[in-house]
Amino acid sequence: MSAVLVVDDDAGVRGYVGDLLEMNGHDVRFAIDGPAALEAIRTERPDCVLLDVMMPGMSGHQVLTEIRRTDGGSQLPVVMVTAAAGDSQSWEAWTGGVDFLLPKPIDSEQLLRVLGYLATGSACA
């Protein structure tokens, strides 16, 4: 079992992803925005972060930048999800150090495959 922090301002997405991950043996934690995500990571570091790109106040890109600046943040697997997976969003995510970028709506099988892949080099699955 691994701890996955799901960061999304949409309660429906949090519920769907949380249920999916819990049914597959993950310990799921939630944050509704960037500041709450950074606090959750500081308080009880997860094994992986599933991070929405478009959130009010602090974007997922800004959260990713802050994660990567923290001690050990470069080793924390981050999977970003976005409904706007255009070239500029993708470029910003990849240059920011994201491990994977997935489109919304989230494909459950693809998400589980990504977490399984990350598990080969981390504690994600």
Side-chain angles (χ1 to χ4, degrees), residues 2-32:
S2 66
V4 179
L5 176 63
V6 177
V7 186
D8 201 301
D9 59 313
D10 184 318
V13 171
R14 288 192 312 271
Y16 168 74
V17 172
D19 289 348
L20 171 69
L21 296 180
E22 286 176 351
M23 287 187 322
N24 283 276
H26 296 278
D27 173 26
V28 182
R29 301 170 192 152
F30 301 98
I32 62 169

Side-chain angles (χ1 to χ4, degrees), residues 2 7 17 33 61 69 77 108 110 116:
S2 66
V7 186
V17 172
D33 60 21
H61 297 296
R69 287 182 182 161
S108 59
Q110 185 180 29

Side-chain angles (χ1 to χ4, degrees), residues 11-88:
V13 171
R14 288 192 312 271
Y16 168 74
V17 172
D19 289 348
L20 171 69
L21 296 180
E22 286 176 351
M23 287 187 322
N24 283 276
H26 296 278
D27 173 26
V28 182
R29 301 170 192 152
F30 301 98
I32 62 169
D33 60 21
L38 295 172
E39 180 60 28
I41 291 167
R42 279 191 289 272
T43 303
E44 192 173 352
R45 186 181 176 97
D47 298 312
C48 293
V49 177
L50 184 64
L51 179 62
D52 185 23
V53 171
M54 296 186 299
M55 296 183 291
M58 186 177 202
S59 76
H61 297 296
Q62 292 168 315
V63 174
L64 178 63
T65 297
E66 291 304 313
I67 290 170
R68 295 302 186 228
R69 287 182 182 161
T70 63
D71 186 33
S74 63
Q75 286 81 39
L76 179 60
V78 176
V79 177
M80 293 181 87
V81 293
T82 183
D87 290 342
S88 65

